[in-house]
Amino acid sequence: MYLLEIENLNKKYGSKTILEDINLKVKTGINMGLIGPTGCGKTTLLRLIDLLETPSSGKIIFEGHEISPKKGNLHIRRRMGMVFQKPLAFKGTVYDNVAYGLNIRGYDKEYIQNKVYQNLELLGMEDYAHQNAGSLSGGESQRMALARVLVTEPDLLLLDEPTSNLDPLSREKIESLILHLKKEKDTTIIMTTHDLIQGQRLSDEIAILNQKIFQIGKPEDVFRKPKNQFVADFVGVKNVIKGQAKKDQEGLTIIKSGNIDIYSSKQAEGDIFVSIRPEDISLSWDKVKTSSLNELKGKVVEIIDDGALIHLKIDAGSELFTVYMTRKSFLDMKINIGSELWMEFKATAVHLFQ
Amino acid sequence: MNNRLLAAVIILIVVLLGVGTYVYSGAMDGKEVLVVATTTSLEDTGLLEEIEAAFEAKYPNIDMQVISGGTGIAIEYGKNGDVDIILVHDKTREEELIEDGIGTKRNPFAYNYFYIVGPSSDPAGIKGMDASEAFEKIQEEGEKDPEAVEFISRGDDSGTHSREKKIWKAAGLDYNNTVQNAPWYVESGKGMGDTLTIADEKQAYTISDSGTFLAFKDKISLEALITESPDLLNVYSAIPMNPDKVPTTNNDAANKLVEFLLSSEGQKIIAEFGVEEYGQNLFTALNGGPEPTALFSSFLVGQSELAA
Amino acid sequence: MLSPVIDGIYQAINLIITLDPEMVEITLRTLYISLSSTLVATLIGVPLGGLIHFKAFKGKRGLINMIQTLYSVPTVLVGLFVFLLLSRSGIFGGFNLLFTPTGMVIGQSVLILPLLVGFTINSLSGVQKNIEDLALSLGASDFQTIYTIMKEARYALIGAIILGFGRAISEVGVALLIGGNIRGFTRVITTTISLETSKGNIALSIALGIILLVIALIINLILNYIQEK
């Protein structure tokens, strides 16, 4: 069952296109991460879902019913809650702010009080209840904003960059709260972030967005198997090589790029991109017999010490490869600039995309 | 915040209702209202306040409300039907009003004299002259030295202003061309009291009704230089609005006021008013006698104005 | 020329201490009329300003400019305009409102209405656009959203009301033309000052002026107290 479905959604401001042909299905209880660079339309998409803006065309469907910002949608709006990127507060105390959603829903005083304190505690804000909301720091404001939404127990929680520009403590609190909500409350969350690692850590599914959606899937699929150049670039996929794919024997594909031939177990034909994750490439001084179909010779041109991993740049003629190895094996192998090494990787590790 | 604000608004409304009731109760509770427009001199001297008190004591069911302004605006109120009776002092315009049928009848009830007042040094030397001679002299001296001799006019179409214009005319001067634009002639555009104050500040001449001048005497240094010239006679009359022309008027109460003003009781108030405070009466009661007639010395005054 | 001022202060203190009945009466009437007109103008002006602020329509900018121009309309002009309407020969002559306190309330309300409408629009524009989104996203109905924005603007709104009250209690044009300065019925502090000055009672005028300022101070303190809560 999908809680939210978006079909062919477009949004333009004047002649400027913000969102183009968005299609998205969000299952009940999952955490969907919307990831994209700044200005990609993430915030606009959340605002459209929250009925704060009207789509130029397309449909937003909530539990099977189309919704729009026109009148008569109060009961739907009251099942959603949004936390804005910029901390915002009504004039008054933290308590007044957090109680707002319950007050306008007409709950009785006692219920409101319990709820407010319960949620303030959840966010470590109970001592701030009677402080002026305008006097909070950025992180405190953001936690208050979360408490303000959570008291209303929304079925769909929209979080716009919930941890950007926050201090580490607030960031950690908010992240653990999001995980808690997912686990304990079964709240459906759509969250935007430009932080890949955070998106990966917190989300069940991620959508890579830049005006249109470039890829949706489980984080590991999106990171491991980018469907296109934009996603590959954006998720930081290394070793992207452009080439021509041709069918080879036994269901393999051969991709020719300059003086390099690469075998892949995926099926494709014509112009294509290839990517190989740096950690999937192993190195040796001598050409050894392995099960790997791909064996390429190259010269080490750069060594970067990342602390945990050593990044090597290896020139293989027409392409420059990035390879990661542990410090230990790097030291064992005694690699230097100029060392000539063999790179080996499996055909199944070669990812193809348009 | 909400409850407090609400409470504040409710308290405000309750207080306003309470005060509003109080404000009205003094004047309104079932009484009929008689609206009187009066020339400022009757109100500013305080005469009308005494008449009002006595009148309301006699007719407890009538609330007399006094609006004071110049004769010009009083007549305008009368024409609009905004007042029931006017107390004014400009015979020419009063007669026009009767002719037009807007007022029912002129009822002269008191008189006094306009005074020509000025600095005690009397730079134009007008003392002992009659009014039109004095005005002629003021013009002459003013032309010679506008710094030393100035004249302040009400300039507001009031009864006093109207009388002033008549005297300029009687002095053989063209008011609109010779007088009004002269450097020694200043229009205040204000009531009698303000005009006296201005004249005092500038040590200039002016014309004032005697009542206001006497009431002001202690506050200013000006002196009444000419007081009893026959062309300075100032007659106050009461004119009820004609219910045929002004249907909303309270003609009944207006007639009661006229009756009261002309009664021996009313006349006594007028005759005695000011004696205690200023040492002399400010108004002379007619006491049933005929209306005195202003006599203009100059032959230039039209026949209509000379006729009683 | 300072002596009338000192005299006036002395007289003011004297009038206040002895609770001079005429002064009390005039003061109460002044308060009644100015507060009533402020209340009427607020009850009309704030919702009207809200309507103009929240509705998008053609000529909105022009309308706001016109309202702001009316801030500086001379009080006597408003007085004259309302006089012509309320006069028995005017459109609303049948209600017999000329020369009554009610007429004065109407006149002063008309006078300060543009001020309240204009400053309501100003103070609502001063509320961040985000606050509207915040209210909506937390599930506020349209009405609740408007109420929330009004509440956010309350400091500025109370400022507008204080300003309106200040203009109402201090003006003389409307009070004189519509009220007629009838003793015991429509005489208020400003018209009394005007009358007493023309009668040469400078000290009494100054005394009344001081009383007016004291009243204005008290009202402002009360409103500020409410505002701070």
Side-chain angles (χ1 to χ4, degrees), chain B residues 150-304:
Chain B
E150 270 187 298
F151 186 92
I152 315 290
S153 166
R154 292 270 295 269
D156 64 351
D157 254 356
S158 58
T160 310
H161 184 214
S162 165
R163 172 60 61 98
E164 179 207 320
K165 285 194 277 191
K166 260 184 217 158
I167 298 173
W168 288 118
K169 212 168 153 193
L173 295 165
D174 179 346
Y175 179 74
N176 288 334
N177 297 316
T178 315
V179 177
Q180 212 173 10
N181 301 317
W184 49 269
Y185 186 84
V186 177
E187 287 183 75
S188 76
K190 297 208 157 164
M192 197 66 254
D194 287 329
T195 304
L196 278 172
T197 309
I198 294 167
D200 184 44
E201 291 287 332
K202 301 185 82 114
Q203 287 292 300
Y205 292 95
T206 190
I207 181 168
S208 167
D209 67 283
S210 57
T212 310
F213 177 74
L214 290 173
F216 260 74
K217 214 165 79 175
D218 292 344
K219 297 171 185 122
I220 56 178
S221 66
L222 297 180
E223 215 175 275
L225 299 166
I226 299 169
T227 54
E228 290 223 355
S229 169
D231 46 6
L232 290 177
L233 184 71
N234 181 25
V235 180
Y236 293 94
S237 49
I239 306 176
M241 294 301 112
N242 185 352
D244 296 336
K245 281 271 172 141
V246 187
T248 50
T249 192
N250 186 351
N251 188 247
D252 182 49
N255 285 332
K256 281 195 178 116
L257 180 63
V258 171
E259 198 182 294
F260 179 78
L261 283 169
L262 299 179
S263 71
S264 56
E265 190 188 350
Q267 292 287 295
K268 192 163 172 259
I269 295 171
I270 293 167
E272 286 174 3
F273 180 73
V275 175
E276 208 170 298
E277 201 177 345
Y278 308 107
Q280 68 178 96
N281 55 329
L282 301 189
F283 300 91
T284 308
L286 280 166
N287 282 322
E291 179 187 358
T293 309
L295 286 174
F296 287 85
S297 54
S298 170
F299 57 91
L300 286 165
V301 177
Q303 286 301 309
S304 68

Side-chain angles (χ1 to χ4, degrees), chain C residues 84-121:
Chain C
L84 292 175
L85 292 178
L86 297 186
S87 169
R88 280 187 191 154
S89 53
I91 302 169
F92 301 113
F95 295 105
N96 286 343
L97 289 170
L98 191 65
F99 304 138
T100 65
T102 310
M104 294 166 82
V105 170
I106 293 170
Q108 290 190 347
S109 301
V110 170
L111 175 72
I112 64 172
L113 190 63
L115 212 67
L116 277 150
V117 174
F119 276 76
T120 299
I121 296 170

Side-chain angles (χ1 to χ4, degrees), chain B residues 2 24 52 81-82 193 216, chain C residues 87-88 102 147 183 185 198-199:
Chain B
N2 272 341
Y24 275 90
E52 183 185 335
D82 294 323
F216 260 74
Chain C
S87 169
R88 280 187 191 154
T102 310
Y147 177 74
R183 185 179 346 97
F185 190 50
S198 74
K199 281 160 105 180

Side-chain angles (χ1 to χ4, degrees), chain A residues 23-298:
Chain A
N23 287 281
L24 193 68
K25 292 182 174 189
V26 182
K27 285 199 200 87
T28 306
I30 74 149
N31 187 344
M32 163 77 77
L34 290 177
I35 305 176
T38 305
C40 69
K42 314 186 280 274
T43 301
T44 306
L45 183 53
L46 286 193
R47 291 173 58 84
L48 285 162
I49 296 170
D50 202 28
L51 302 179
L52 295 175
E53 303 209 19
T54 312
S56 303
S57 66
K59 285 182 186 172
I60 299 173
I61 297 157
F62 190 88
E63 284 185 346
H65 300 284
E66 191 182 343
I67 57 173
S68 80
K70 301 208 184 70
K71 284 185 171 40
N73 261 318
L74 188 61
H75 62 291
I76 300 290
R77 282 203 285 111
R78 287 195 169 173
R79 293 181 58 193
M80 303 195 272
M82 178 159 168
V83 174
F84 299 89
Q85 180 177 2
K86 196 178 154 208
L88 270 174
F90 295 121
K91 287 202 173 85
T93 61
V94 170
Y95 183 94
D96 295 338
N97 266 272
V98 177
Y100 183 87
L102 297 176
N103 272 326
I104 58 172
R105 284 167 175 78
Y107 285 102
D108 67 61
K109 226 173 163 175
E110 204 178 325
Y111 176 84
I112 293 176
Q113 197 169 351
N114 286 338
K115 265 284 176 214
V116 170
Y117 277 106
Q118 192 184 321
N119 281 281
L120 283 176
E121 260 169 57
L122 196 62
L123 284 141
M125 291 284 289
E126 65 272 26
D127 294 338
Y128 295 79
H130 297 291
Q131 256 195 39
N132 183 347
S135 68
L136 299 181
S137 74
E140 289 159 355
S141 299
Q142 199 65 301
R143 276 146 69 191
M144 176 187 79
L146 255 173
R148 188 169 52 198
V149 165
L150 292 180
V151 288
T152 65
E153 299 186 337
D155 294 323
L156 177 60
L157 181 59
L158 306 167
L159 306 174
D160 191 10
E161 300 268 6
T163 64
S164 67
N165 312 319
L166 291 193
D167 57 286
L169 177 75
S170 294
R171 187 189 166 94
E172 197 185 306
K173 275 228 153 51
I174 288 174
E175 284 190 357
S176 68
L177 182 84
I178 292 169
L179 289 173
H180 163 85
L181 288 173
K182 198 166 92 175
K183 225 165 93 186
E184 308 284 329
K185 299 269 185 177
D186 213 30
T187 307
T188 310
I189 300 173
I190 302 176
M191 174 184 129
T192 69
T193 180
H194 63 266
D195 179 343
L196 283 167
I197 308 297
Q198 184 182 59
Q200 188 178 21
R201 188 162 65 245
L202 299 179
S203 310
D204 301 310
E205 270 185 56
I206 58 174
I208 305 294
L209 183 73
N210 188 23
Q211 193 167 314
K212 28 189 194 181
I213 289 180
F214 282 82
Q215 189 168 355
I216 307 177
K218 292 200 161 78
E220 54 269 31
D221 289 342
V222 174
F223 282 93
R224 290 193 158 268
K225 301 166 193 163
K227 271 188 180 163
N228 47 54
Q229 174 83 59
F230 176 79
V231 176
D233 282 349
F234 186 74
V235 302
V237 173
K238 300 286 195 268
N239 304 328
V240 176
I241 297 155
K242 197 173 178 198
Q244 277 82 45
K246 236 173 41 188
K247 249 189 198 142
D248 202 49
Q249 85 284 15
E250 293 170 37
L252 287 174
T253 306
I254 181 164
I255 300 107
K256 287 185 180 293
S257 171
N259 62 342
I260 298 168
D261 288 353
I262 296 169
Y263 295 93
S264 172
S265 56
K266 315 267 181 335
Q267 303 301 313
E269 204 131 5
D271 285 353
I272 200 138
F273 286 99
V274 168
S275 82
I276 306 124
R277 297 179 68 82
E279 60 269 36
D280 288 344
I281 302 174
S282 55
L283 294 174
S284 59
W285 280 101
D286 303 306
K287 190 174 180 180
V288 288
K289 202 83 199 129
T290 62
S291 59
S292 298
L293 274 169
N294 294 299
E295 297 174 321
L296 296 170
K297 193 166 188 189

